[in-house]
Amino acid sequence: MYDAIVFFDLDGTLFDDQKNVLPSSIEAIKQMSKNNILSVISTGRNIFEVQYVLDETGLDTIVSANGSYVQYQGKKLHQEVIPEKVLDEFTEYANQQGDPVGYFNNRGFWLNRENDATKENFKLLRLDAKVDPDFYHHEDINFMNVFNEDKEEQYQERFKGVLSLVRNNPRALDTMNAGVSKRTGIQILLEAAHLENVPTYAFGDQLNDLQMFDMVDTPIAMANGHKLAKEKAAYVTTSNMDDGIVNGLRHYHLIK
């Protein structure tokens, strides 16, 4: 049994502004491992996007795609699959709005079409986006991005009870099966691995971290984070560029 579990969001949290993990954060994670503390990545990204993070940190447990794919000790615990009928309806609606859609699973992703927003988005994420409108017909899809700047309420109303949509960046909405979130992914992990009674902490910065904050004992927000994340946090640490991870862990005596 672990002495504690710490969940780390990536963008704006464990990542610096160049999408790298600070050496001090890597050292802190290794120190916690020696101290019988489990570190878990909890991200809106899919595993294929962040395998290099798992490799450089030595971590093998991750709640990915906002809870749509959960891996524990290198093995799959849970995977959501969005029904093909829902994918068809969502794609048709997005096309009517002129909004590109990205279809993801743990192995890769494709777009149904490109525009300036998709090009900017995947350039920032260091990903090579390819276009294949039929990708979702021959692959299981657990997660989507729909690219727009101001249509949260419109999409949420249209797909209420079918899909959950949350804005994770200015260009796109993360889209999952209804009810799926980092919170549900963490709950699945804790129950399946029999870790329900272990003290839990989470570092995050954005709106898709709010439900994760509700799930853990001690939520910690980054100084660079969204106002609502900081309001919900038990503690606000320094920024992702100013050793926020190390300072937050030290505040709770998880590392020296």
Side-chain angles (χ1 to χ4, degrees):
M1 184 68 69
Y2 296 103
D3 293 332
I5 305 172
V6 184
F7 295 92
F8 296 100
D9 172 55
L10 288 180
D11 294 282
T13 303
L14 191 60
F15 277 161
D16 64 17
D17 290 349
Q18 287 72 48
K19 310 299 181 185
N20 298 312
V21 182
L22 295 176
S24 59
S25 298
I26 295 176
E27 182 57 35
I29 288 170
K30 292 179 178 178
Q31 183 180 336
M32 286 193 294
S33 179
K34 293 177 182 178
N35 294 339
N36 199 38
I37 297 173
L38 176 65
S39 296
V40 182
I41 301 298
S42 181
T43 179
R45 298 210 199 195
N46 292 264
I47 288 182
F48 75 89
E49 301 177 61
V50 299
Q51 186 60 52
Y52 73 98
V53 179
L54 301 178
D55 293 340
E56 70 179 354
T57 58
L59 301 181
D60 58 8
T61 300
I62 180 171
V63 175
S64 67
N66 282 339
S68 296
Y69 191 96
V70 182
Q71 173 180 292
Y72 178 57
Q73 295 181 341
K75 297 180 180 179
K76 181 179 78 173
L77 277 184
H78 177 76
Q79 178 180 3
E80 293 285 329
V81 176
I82 301 174
E84 188 168 350
K85 179 181 178 182
V86 174
L87 294 169
D88 283 334
E89 293 175 358
F90 188 83
T91 299
E92 180 179 1
Y93 185 77
N95 285 340
Q96 293 171 359
Q97 307 302 314
D99 299 337
V101 180
Y103 310 95
F104 296 75
N105 58 32
N106 60 304
R107 298 180 300 277
F109 82 106
W110 294 78
L111 292 165
N112 69 337
R113 61 189 183 85
E114 288 185 313
N115 67 7
D116 289 343
T118 67
K119 292 175 183 176
E120 179 183 2
N121 188 74
F122 294 113
K123 181 179 180 180
L124 289 171
L125 296 178
R126 302 178 183 176
L127 293 174
D128 181 20
K130 294 182 173 62
V131 175
D132 179 0
D134 294 323
F135 179 72
Y136 71 88
H137 289 298
H138 49 80
E139 287 272 357
D140 285 340
I141 303 301
N142 57 36
F143 177 89
M144 293 184 286
N145 279 149
V146 58
F147 289 84
N148 59 70
E149 296 181 355
D150 58 359
K151 300 178 184 176
E152 291 98 319
E153 293 184 4
Q154 180 177 329
Y155 275 86
Q156 288 166 354
E157 179 62 28
R158 172 62 177 79
F159 293 95
K160 186 176 182 180
V162 178
L163 295 168
S164 291
L165 297 101
V166 61
R167 184 164 298 282
N168 192 24
N169 72 54
R171 296 165 297 279
L173 296 169
D174 290 354
T175 307
M176 298 75 65
N177 276 332
V180 173
S181 68
K182 289 186 180 183
R183 175 176 182 153
T184 61
I186 290 171
Q187 184 174 7
I188 287 167
L189 170 63
L190 296 179
E191 291 177 355
H194 306 293
L195 301 172
E196 298 100 318
N197 296 321
V198 180
T200 52
Y201 302 78
F203 287 79
D205 71 309
Q206 284 299 325
L207 297 177
N208 68 331
D209 295 318
L210 298 181
Q211 290 186 320
M212 173 174 70
F213 280 6
D214 286 334
M215 184 66 196
V216 300
D217 300 316
T218 307
I220 304 164
M222 311 302 288
N224 52 284
H226 193 284
K227 179 179 73 171
L228 293 179
K230 289 189 277 190
E231 288 176 355
K232 189 177 282 286
Y235 178 71
V236 178
T237 186
T238 52
S239 78
N240 64 320
M241 296 295 290
D242 188 26
D243 272 336
I245 297 299
V246 169
N247 291 330
L249 293 172
R250 284 178 177 159
H251 178 81
Y252 286 101
H253 308 292
L254 296 169
I255 61 171
K256 295 182 179 178

